[in-house]
Amino acid sequence: MRDAPFPQADLPRLPPAAAPQLSIVIPVLNEEGNIAPLVERLDAVLSGIAWEAIFVDDDSTDGTRAAIAAIGAGDPRVRLLHRIGRRGLASAFIEGAQASLAPFVAALDGDLQHDETLLPRMLASLRDDGYELAIGSRYVGGGGLGDWDRRRAGMSSFATKLSRIVLRAPLTDPMSGFFMIRRATFEQAVRNLSAMGFKILLDIVASLPAPPRLIELPYEFRSRTAGESKLDAGVLRDFVLLIADKLVGHIVPVRFLLFAGVGALGIAGHLIVLRLCLTLFALAFPTAQAIATAVAIVGNFVLNNVFTFRENRLRGWGFVRGLLSFTAICSVGAVGNIGVSAFLFGPSVQSAWWLAGLAGAVMSLVWNYAVSSVITWRRA
Ligand code: GDD
Ligand code: MN
């Protein structure tokens, strides 16, 4: 039998629990084995502090949410934000922080690689010493990279140097994903965030109107004992996009720039294939041009699928359907392109041939981008 929807009158009145002073936002993706040990460690290290942990899970396929729910059922300090059809460490942190009301918010990995024993010192720096941002750094005295190999260490140090282009604050470790920030400071950045990829600290600092008062605390990056790293070839692309978005994102969307770059590559590929077909295989021009066009469309589709719309990458049947819709959209774009440029070149406007040609090409580029991003690579 079902009860009335809101049987509140029958519930006992409980005193409200203390509101959390510190929210620890923990992005997780398939970290089943790390949840319980992490909460135990937080509980041990944060005694005397009103804290909560907000796990932000991007639809893990293992038992991550079940592990969180099992603890949360008996511990109101443990919360879950379950996102579907979304991905990304940076946006996970942002949404977790926005779901919290605490005056201090920390970012912590859910795989035990960050040193949670630093949290009380971070909190003291913000609450008692007036800092706005406390960062766990691997590059100040006493910190370290743990078991990272030379390749990964080299990549991290290269990215750190690259980030100087957009950073106005002297951070030794802008790649760190371990920090604590005042809510008020976070609020100053939140509307300017790019929310792309992995590097949320860099994003926040580059989005603030002025460099924050910050302190760096050393820690040693631990090695992973359970689960796997989510770092793949996409993080480099995400990082470059983040930097580009910080530089020009207020003028033109960086995803559009990627799409245009892929288009330019497509034109180059088209010409190369055309030339090969004509000279090497001695095909008739219409045949050669048809082959080159097909190669350019498929090539553009594949590159856009891997780079431009990586978050919504199509696989299996989705890939085939996507290729068909992309081809259809580009065909309409080509017809519009010819129409616009013929009109501009024609008797009533009489613009220069290159201006007419360029205008047609830009028009179809904008069309192809706008329509394929909502139809071919629409978000799940
Ligand atoms: N919700 C969500 N969504 N969580 C994610 C995602 C995602 O798309 N990708 C990764 N995570 C979670 C992981 O489950 C883990 O808890 C944490 O984010 C870090 O991911 P790892 O894949 O373990 O990253 P890492 O160890 O290679 O990188 C770490 O080191 C960097 C230092 O350069 C991260 O801590 C970075 O934050 C840090 O900057
Ligand atoms: Mn990790």
Side-chain angles (χ1 to χ4, degrees):
M1 196 189 77
R2 291 195 68 171
D3 283 322
F6 297 107
Q8 282 169 341
D10 300 337
L11 289 175
R13 278 181 170 277
L14 298 173
Q21 187 173 36
L22 169 64
S23 294
I24 303 157
V25 178
I26 310 171
V28 281
L29 193 58
N30 297 335
E31 301 288 1
E32 175 178 15
N34 289 317
I35 304 294
L38 180 57
V39 175
E40 265 170 41
R41 291 186 192 195
L42 291 177
D43 184 50
V45 82
L46 293 171
S47 62
I49 295 168
W51 61 276
E52 67 177 353
I54 304 178
F55 287 93
V56 185
D57 174 76
D58 284 352
D59 218 15
S60 291
T61 49
D62 66 355
T64 298
R65 283 186 305 286
I68 297 166
I71 305 173
D75 187 343
R77 299 172 304 182
V78 173
R79 297 173 51 194
L80 169 64
L81 189 61
H82 177 188
R83 308 197 302 170
I84 298 175
R86 319 278 300 281
R87 267 293 162 87
L89 185 48
S91 69
F93 170 79
I94 295 165
E95 288 177 33
Q98 285 176 307
S100 121
L101 295 169
F104 304 103
V105 184
L108 183 72
D109 280 359
D111 58 5
L112 306 173
Q113 290 197 272
H114 290 161
D115 183 357
E116 69 290 329
T117 63
L118 216 57
L119 288 166
R121 278 180 65 201
M122 288 178 160
L123 183 62
S125 306
L126 302 192
R127 194 185 50 193
D128 309 330
D129 304 339
Y131 289 105
E132 294 172 296
L133 180 59
I135 302 169
S137 170
R138 298 160 297 169
Y139 299 115
V140 290
L145 289 175
D147 64 359
W148 275 16
D149 57 30
R150 282 190 43 199
R151 200 178 132 263
R152 176 116 203 237
M155 265 171 59
S156 177
S157 109
F158 174 72
T160 300
K161 291 200 184 88
L162 200 61
S163 69
R164 304 260 178 264
I165 306 172
V166 297
L167 272 184
R168 282 154 296 167
L171 304 191
T172 61
D173 194 359
M175 300 300 120
S176 175
F178 181 29
F179 61 90
M180 194 183 293
I181 189 167
R182 280 174 191 271
R183 164 159 311 282
T185 310
F186 175 72
E187 296 293 337
Q188 288 181 342
V190 73
R191 283 168 204 284
N192 299 325
L193 293 172
S194 304
M196 292 171 169
F198 259 55
K199 297 308 167 192
I200 178 61
L201 175 65
L202 173 61
D203 196 358
I204 290 176
V205 176
S207 299
L208 283 170
R213 265 171 295 141
L214 64 90
I215 181 169
E216 297 187 304
L217 304 170
Y219 83 101
E220 173 89 25
F221 202 74
R222 297 192 193 124
S223 30
R224 226 184 216 280
T225 51
E228 284 166 17
S229 170
K230 311 310 174 300
L231 211 80
D232 67 358
V235 294
L236 181 62
R237 169 253 186 211
D238 288 348
F239 181 69
V240 173
L241 275 196
L242 171 62
I243 301 278
D245 189 64
K246 282 279 157 290
L247 289 173
V248 300
H250 52 288
I251 305 168
V252 51
V254 289
R255 205 188 291 275
F256 176 72
L257 292 182
L258 265 187
F259 192 85
V262 167
L265 271 183
I267 293 175
H270 181 119
L271 293 178
I272 292 170
V273 173
L274 181 60
R275 167 109 187 138
L276 287 179
C277 286
L278 291 173
T279 56
L280 213 57
F281 304 112
L283 297 175
F285 188 86
T287 318
Q289 174 73 353
I291 292 173
T293 306
V295 169
I297 289 181
V298 175
N300 263 21
F301 175 74
V302 170
L303 288 179
N304 280 322
N305 196 43
V306 173
F307 293 114
T308 316
F309 298 101
R310 189 177 184 86
E311 297 82 356
N312 308 340
R313 195 161 16 146
L314 301 166
R315 294 190 170 91
W317 279 114
F319 183 90
V320 177
R321 270 198 305 272
L323 179 57
L324 292 179
S325 74
F326 183 72
T327 307
I329 292 161
C330 292
S331 308
V332 175
V335 172
N337 176 345
I338 296 167
V340 166
S341 51
F343 172 74
L344 292 178
F345 189 65
S348 51
V349 184
Q350 293 187 347
S351 63
W353 66 269
W354 58 267
L355 193 61
L358 191 66
V362 169
M363 200 244 37
S364 63
L365 179 67
V366 173
W367 159 272
N368 290 349
Y369 173 73
V371 180
S372 70
S373 64
V374 292
I375 294 182
T376 308
W377 287 283
R378 71 170 176 276
R379 291 191 172 251

